[in-house]
Amino acid sequence: MMRSVEALELFPDTFNPGYFMIKVALLLLAALLAVQSALDLRQELRPANPPEDTGQPGQPGP
């Protein structure tokens, strides 16, 4: 079983096992991109903080 998995994880021309690391890096990049996009979208959809009330009408805040 392990030999069949190892055979799938080699570059077809050079038989270098680095192909597995390239696939892992690609999946990690896609996952991190999705997380960053979700965080950016959440930040954009968050409502802005309303101005603080100073208690005196017509007076600017500190």
Side-chain angles (χ1 to χ4, degrees):
M1 166 107 177
M2 286 302 292
R3 287 184 188 241
S4 62
V5 172
E6 289 175 7
L8 291 175
E9 301 301 335
L10 298 174
F11 281 114
D13 295 335
T14 62
F15 301 110
N16 185 342
Y19 191 55
F20 175 72
M21 293 306 297
I22 290 176
K23 290 198 301 189
V24 168
L26 184 64
L27 290 174
L28 182 63
L29 176 67
L32 291 175
L33 182 63
V35 169
Q36 184 65 50
S37 298
L39 290 174
D40 289 345
L41 184 61
R42 181 176 157 222
Q43 183 70 24
E44 288 295 321
L45 295 177
R46 181 179 293 171
N49 292 334
E52 294 182 17
D53 186 17
T54 60
Q56 300 176 359
Q59 296 293 324

